[in-house]
């Protein structure tokens, strides 16, 4: 069995939020509400455009955009705590529709599975193992704890290549966010964007995606 890609990869690097889990609607709502508590407008569309940035990077961008200057450490902690509280109140993670089939297909093709995420939840691996047993492993993950710069810098994807011991030409990335696409393309990796959220496809093409697909069913067909 061969994937219908322009080349035969040895590994697939998956982003997590908006790819493995259908978590973006909640992140968008939580960020938007946490900023509203500060009197700052931050639309859900803007949250989607910013996806991939660290929490402190996001707070800084919004403060600067509204003439509040650089946020203090206290501002960052308060806002991020509010955002996390609102997010956590929305319930258990939801696996992305079609993702189990995609992962099963990737496994059946004999390709390695990595996660490259800006998320820094302490219980990340437990959560992944709960919803997707026998699929993800600590040594095949790059998280917020590993990187200094994070997406859209190529750093997380370059670190993934190093962990995998593979050249960019033998890897495929699955992303949903423009900044994630920029990061992966900056690392020189063929990048499939799956538009699982509210952005226009153009946002993903402009970020440099090699392919833009509407959902995981389309990805399953491509593999
Ligand atoms: Mg994402």
């Amino acid at each position: 069995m061969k994937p219908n890609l322009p080349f035969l990869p040895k590994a697939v690097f998956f982003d997590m939020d908006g790819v493995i889990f259908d978590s973006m609607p909640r992140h968008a709502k939580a960020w938007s509400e946490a900023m509203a508590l500060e009197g700052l407008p931050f639309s859900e569309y803007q949250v989607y455009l910013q996806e991939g940035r660290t929490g402190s990077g996001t707070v800084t961008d919004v403060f600067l955009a509204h003439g509040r200057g650089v946020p203090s450490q206290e501002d960052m902690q308060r806002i991020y705590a509010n955002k996390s509280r609102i997010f956590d109140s929305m319930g258990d993670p939801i696996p992305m529709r079609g993702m189990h089939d995609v992962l099963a297909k990737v496994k059946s093709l004999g390709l390695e599975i990595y996660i490259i995420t800006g998320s820094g939840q302490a219980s990340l691996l437990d959560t992944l193992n709960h919803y997707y047993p026998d699929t993800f492993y600590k040594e095949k993950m790059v998280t917020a704890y590993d990187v200094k710069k994070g997406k859209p810098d190529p750093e997380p994807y370059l670190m993934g290549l190093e962990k995998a011991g593979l050249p960019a030409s033998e890897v495929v990335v699955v992303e949903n966010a423009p900044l994630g696409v920029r990061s992966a393309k900056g690392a020189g990796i063929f990048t499939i964007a799956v538009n699982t959220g509210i952005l226009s496809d153009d946002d993903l093409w402009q970020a440099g995606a090699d392919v833009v697909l509407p959902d995981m069913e389309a990805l399953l067909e491509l593999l």
Side-chain angles (χ1 to χ4, degrees), residues 21-215:
F21 291 114
D22 193 6
S23 43
M24 278 311 295
R26 292 172 175 187
H27 280 297
K29 203 164 185 303
W31 269 121
S32 198
E33 287 181 13
M35 291 298 186
L37 291 174
E38 308 289 322
L40 291 166
F42 192 35
S43 72
E44 294 189 12
Y45 201 94
Q46 282 175 300
V47 180
Y48 272 84
L49 284 177
Q50 288 275 333
E51 190 204 335
R53 266 199 220 292
T54 59
S56 56
T58 300
V59 173
T60 303
D61 284 353
V62 177
F63 265 57
L64 291 177
H66 294 284
R68 294 269 186 105
V70 177
S72 67
Q73 213 44 41
E74 216 170 58
D75 291 327
M76 301 253 204
Q77 279 165 9
R78 181 185 63 252
I79 297 169
Y80 199 66
N82 282 333
K83 186 261 170 177
S84 299
R85 179 179 48 76
I86 298 165
F87 182 80
D88 291 343
S89 75
M90 288 189 268
D92 295 332
I94 305 167
M96 181 61 71
R97 193 170 56 95
M99 200 60 211
H100 280 104
D101 292 338
V102 166
L103 290 170
K105 183 74 180 282
V106 170
K107 278 187 198 177
S108 77
L109 290 165
L111 311 181
E112 302 234 42
I113 294 170
Y114 281 73
I115 283 212
I116 315 291
T117 179
S119 176
Q121 300 167 50
S123 60
L124 199 63
L125 190 57
D126 289 342
T127 307
L128 285 165
N129 284 336
H130 178 76
Y131 291 95
Y132 301 96
D134 302 321
T135 306
F136 300 106
Y137 303 93
K138 196 172 190 300
E139 62 277 15
K140 296 184 179 181
M141 289 173 64
V142 175
T143 74
Y145 296 111
D146 298 302
V147 299
K148 287 199 178 71
K149 294 174 197 151
K151 302 170 187 179
D153 194 274
E155 182 192 27
Y157 281 105
L158 288 173
M159 204 169 273
L161 292 175
E162 204 177 299
K163 281 200 179 194
L166 292 171
S169 58
E170 291 182 344
V171 174
V172 165
V173 165
V174 180
E175 263 287 353
N176 72 304
L179 299 184
V181 170
R182 261 185 233 290
S183 170
K185 290 306 295 175
I189 309 175
F190 187 90
T191 303
I192 301 169
V194 184
N195 193 358
T196 61
I198 60 177
L199 297 177
S200 81
D201 283 356
D202 243 17
D203 292 321
L204 294 160
W205 286 120
Q206 278 171 22
D210 294 286
V211 180
V212 179
L213 302 173
D215 51 29

